[in-house]
């Protein structure tokens, strides 16, 4: 029996992949142990920005090869493995397995063979359509009552800054029956909240017959015992009226949407190959908010894209003021080798990029603070996650709009409770169980 440890970087897809990898190892009789005890350490990696890759490189450097006779092996899987796996194999002697995100189905066997025989395994996609998925319902999860489920692999959008289509391969929807079966199995195993994952969930089904994303939402809403259904991420060009209607009509679907805008300048959006302009974005978010007045909208924004002028940047700031997102994930542009934008002129100096990111964060902090302040006095249904990471005696839960709420209490993990909001800041709300004296 082997002991394994997982280290997860990057997006929710990696969390899901990590849960499935762990579940597969456990099903083979392995044990999840602390990193120091592990025979195998698996890095589930991300390539989205240079910083994400640097972090893993410095971690890998820490793994001094163990003394004679000790079976210790490092596996690097996910997006960074796909991008630079062969280089990692030659640079770090303890890395003996590299596996891209489309070959996870072959990982466990390769790791076992490598542990027994000492050989190196290279499981990378030379064909961006090849797929050896890991057919395994994630039984080991961070929280037993919440799970992710990937509904589509890859991405065909090729936004000019983005590495994802290069490392996750071509867009491919999972079969609806497989998804429904997985969600049923998860619910049978105690899950009450599922988040569907795809780089662009709204294109789900465009490569299949007779099913769309809206149809999938409706089929999954019918799964008995499922209380909350979420999804991420949405591409603004594809968020259809049918999806909005399904959200409005199916009470299981949560009113929370991540709708990445990326820039507030039409000129930059065009250079990014996003396929929409600010007017089209305004139209989508307008329909969404008209149909779901309570909806929370989060967004992603890139600053300092090559050639982004002061004027372009001020249009992004303007967009934040206009659309008033609940939260914004902002990042300075990071050139990714092999993407179209990596060859664009007009790099913004790092100091200026920093200034822009700070300005975005300051503005967004004020907006988030105002939005949350308006929720004080209201009562929300929470799914309780457990003790708050900081804060003695407080529990943490999330509203259907995915806002974090802290309140005094004990136990209740995985339960639904009603909480009255008493105070707020930009990141979270505080309250007390409704019905308790004030
Ligand atoms: N599929 C999603 C985004 C996936 S990547 C979409 O279409 O919006 C997650 C976020 O990382 C992106 O929304 C973008 O804001 C950011 N990102 C991607 N590539 C980047 C890069 N090269 N530099 C900086 N941020 C980047
Ligand atoms: Fe990247 Fe664009 Fe695909 Fe999102 S839609 S994953 S940003 S290429
Ligand atoms: Fe990173 Fe790959 Fe996700 S590049 S953001 S782990 S799809």
């Amino acid at each position: 029996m082997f002991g394994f440890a997982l280290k997860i970087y990057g997006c929710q897809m990696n969390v899901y992949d990590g849960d499935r990898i762990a579940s597969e190892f456990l099903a083979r009789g392995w044990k999840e142990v602390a990193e120091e005890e592990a025979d195998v350490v698996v890095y589930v990696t991300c390539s989205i920005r240079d910083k994400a890759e640097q972090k893993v490189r410095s971690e890998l450097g820490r793994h001094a090869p163990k003394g004679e006779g000790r079976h210790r092996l490092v596996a690097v899987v996910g997006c960074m493995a796909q991008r630079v796996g062969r280089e990692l194999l030659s640079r770090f002697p303890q890395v003996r397995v590299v596996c891209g995100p489309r070959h996870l189905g072959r990982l466990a066997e390769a790791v076992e063979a490598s542990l027994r025989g000492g050989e190196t395994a290279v499981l990378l996609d030379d064909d961006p359509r090849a797929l050896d998925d890991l057919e395994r319902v994630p039984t080991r999860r961070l929280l037993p009552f919440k799970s992710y489920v990937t509904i589509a692999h890859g991405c065909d959008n090729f936004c000019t800054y983005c590495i994802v289509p290069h490392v996750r391969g071509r867009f491919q929807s999972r079969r609806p029956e497989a998804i429904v079966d997985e969600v049923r199995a998860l619910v049978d195993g105690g899950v009450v909240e599922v988040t569907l994952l795809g780089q662009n969930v709204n294109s789900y089904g465009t490569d299949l017959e007779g099913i769309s994303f809206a149809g999938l939402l409706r089929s999954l809403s019918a799964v008995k015992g499922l209380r909350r259904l979420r999804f991420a991420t949405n591409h603004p060009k594809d968020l259809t009226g049918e999806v909005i209607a399904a959200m409005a009509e199916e009470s299981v679907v949560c009113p929370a949407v991540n709708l990445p805008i990326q820039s507030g300048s039409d000129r930059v959006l065009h250079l990014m190959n996003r396929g929409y302009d600010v007017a089209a974005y305004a139209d989508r978010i307008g329909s969404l908010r008209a149909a779901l007045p309570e909806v929370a909208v989060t967004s992603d924004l890139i600053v300092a894209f090559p050639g982004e002028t002061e004027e372009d940047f001020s249009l992004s700031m303007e967009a934040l003021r206009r659309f008033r997102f609940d939260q914004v994930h902002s990042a300075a542009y990071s050139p990714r080798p092999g993407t179209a934008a990596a060859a664009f002129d007009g790099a913004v100096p790092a100091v200026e990029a920093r200034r822009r990111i700070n300005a975005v964060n300051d503005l967004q902090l004020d907006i988030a603070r105002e939005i949350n302040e308006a929720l004080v006095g209201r009562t929300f249904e929470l799914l309780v996650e457990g003790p708050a990471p900081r804060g003695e005696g407080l529990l943490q839960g999330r509203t259907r709009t995915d806002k974090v709420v802290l309140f005094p209490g004990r136990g209740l993990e995985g339960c639904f409770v009603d909480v009255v909001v008493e105070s707020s800041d930009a990141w979270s709300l505080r309250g007390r169980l409704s019905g308790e004296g004030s």
Side-chain angles (χ1 to χ4, degrees):
M1 189 181 68
F2 300 119
F4 71 94
L6 282 182
K7 313 254 308 183
I8 313 280
Y9 301 81
C11 68
Q12 298 157 324
M13 278 191 174
N14 278 5
V15 176
Y16 174 71
D17 289 347
D19 285 347
R20 285 186 307 154
I21 292 167
S23 304
E24 174 68 21
F25 286 169
L26 292 169
R28 286 169 180 254
W30 293 32
K31 235 177 112 180
E32 190 161 14
V33 296
E35 197 191 329
E36 309 76 58
E37 313 290 313
D39 300 292
V40 185
V41 182
V42 182
Y43 285 82
V44 186
T45 60
C46 173
S47 287
I48 204 76
R49 284 179 284 273
D50 188 49
K51 227 200 263 162
E53 292 198 345
Q54 287 309 337
K55 218 184 293 170
V56 169
R57 280 177 193 277
S58 74
E59 289 271 310
L60 291 177
R62 281 194 312 113
H63 284 281
K66 287 280 157 169
E68 294 293 318
R70 174 82 190 261
H71 286 304
R72 169 115 181 183
L73 170 158
V74 174
V76 182
V77 312
C79 295
M80 188 178 170
Q82 179 60 37
R83 204 180 81 73
V84 289
R86 288 189 178 87
E87 180 220 317
L88 297 178
L89 270 180
S90 59
R91 177 171 301 192
F92 301 100
Q94 61 287 10
V95 174
R96 293 231 301 281
V97 176
V98 292
C99 177
R102 296 175 79 95
H103 284 330
L104 296 180
R106 286 163 53 198
L107 176 68
E109 226 150 76
V111 169
E112 283 187 356
S114 186
L115 275 172
R116 293 207 172 93
E119 69 263 34
T120 293
V122 179
L123 306 168
L124 301 176
D125 314 307
D126 298 314
D127 170 5
R129 290 175 197 279
L131 182 64
D132 289 305
D133 201 14
L134 176 55
E135 293 299 334
R136 168 77 50 200
V137 176
T139 47
R140 168 274 204 194
R141 300 176 290 268
L142 194 61
L143 294 172
F145 42 87
K146 279 171 84 158
S147 186
Y148 294 115
V149 173
T150 288
I151 61 168
H153 302 279
C155 179
D156 289 351
N157 283 320
F158 288 95
C159 301
T160 53
Y161 51 81
C162 186
I163 196 71
V164 172
H166 304 263
V167 288
R168 291 243 169 200
R170 295 292 56 80
F171 176 79
Q172 198 171 335
S173 301
R174 279 181 77 197
R175 304 211 60 78
E177 305 80 40
I179 298 168
V180 174
D181 285 351
E182 181 161 336
V183 170
R184 272 209 197 99
L186 286 167
V187 170
D188 287 346
V191 166
V192 289
E193 177 176 313
V194 166
T195 302
L196 307 176
L197 299 179
Q199 290 304 338
N200 176 2
V201 288
N202 296 287
S203 350
Y204 177 78
T206 49
D207 53 342
L208 299 174
E209 293 277 301
I211 181 91
S212 63
F213 181 57
L216 182 71
L217 285 180
R218 290 188 191 271
S219 323
L220 292 175
S221 296
V223 172
K224 264 208 172 65
L226 181 65
R227 296 279 301 270
R228 288 180 171 185
L229 184 58
R230 305 184 185 282
F231 50 85
T233 49
N234 297 274
H235 196 299
K237 76 179 165 59
D238 300 320
L239 179 64
T240 61
E242 280 119 69
V243 171
I244 296 174
M247 291 185 73
E249 287 159 26
E250 302 289 351
S251 59
V252 174
V253 183
C254 292
V257 171
N258 177 247
L259 198 62
I261 186 167
Q262 311 298 7
S263 170
S265 156
D266 288 346
R267 195 184 72 82
V268 173
L269 285 171
H270 182 72
L271 289 173
M272 289 176 162
N273 189 32
R274 286 292 285 175
Y276 56 84
D277 56 15
V278 175
Y281 187 91
D283 181 64
R284 292 300 152 98
I285 201 172
S287 319
L288 187 63
R289 284 177 166 159
L292 295 134
E294 293 280 308
V295 74
V297 184
T298 59
S299 199
D300 297 4
L301 184 78
I302 297 176
V303 303
F305 187 76
E308 185 187 74
T309 61
E310 191 56 44
E311 166 73 14
D312 295 319
F313 173 66
S314 66
L315 289 167
S316 286
M317 294 285 278
E318 165 88 39
L320 296 187
R321 279 187 214 103
R322 174 175 179 192
F323 298 124
R324 295 180 64 78
F325 300 113
D326 289 81
Q327 243 183 62
V328 173
H329 305 280
S330 56
Y333 168 74
S334 168
R336 309 313 293 129
T339 60
F344 289 2
D345 292 333
V348 176
V351 174
E352 177 57 17
R354 197 68 254 155
R355 187 192 68 80
R356 291 182 190 180
I357 205 88
N358 288 341
V360 161
N361 291 342
D362 288 350
L363 169 60
Q364 182 54 33
L365 207 64
D366 287 343
I367 294 171
R369 211 174 268 137
E370 285 166 18
I371 291 176
N372 285 348
E373 213 168 85
L375 302 176
V376 173
R378 303 259 315 265
T379 300
F380 293 98
E381 180 201 68
L382 302 189
L383 172 55
V384 182
E385 293 180 347
R390 292 184 294 265
E392 271 301 279
L394 293 178
L395 289 173
Q396 171 171 310
R398 282 175 190 264
T399 64
R400 284 167 47 77
T401 50
D402 216 23
K403 300 235 177 226
V404 172
V405 187
L406 308 180
F407 64 99
R410 264 184 288 124
L412 297 174
E413 274 100 335
C415 297
F416 289 91
V417 297
D418 285 336
V419 163
V420 191
V421 177
E422 295 181 314
S423 65
S424 69
D425 59 31
W427 308 111
S428 62
L429 307 170
R430 289 211 178 205
R432 63 176 158 80
L433 285 169
S434 142
E436 286 195 348
S438 50

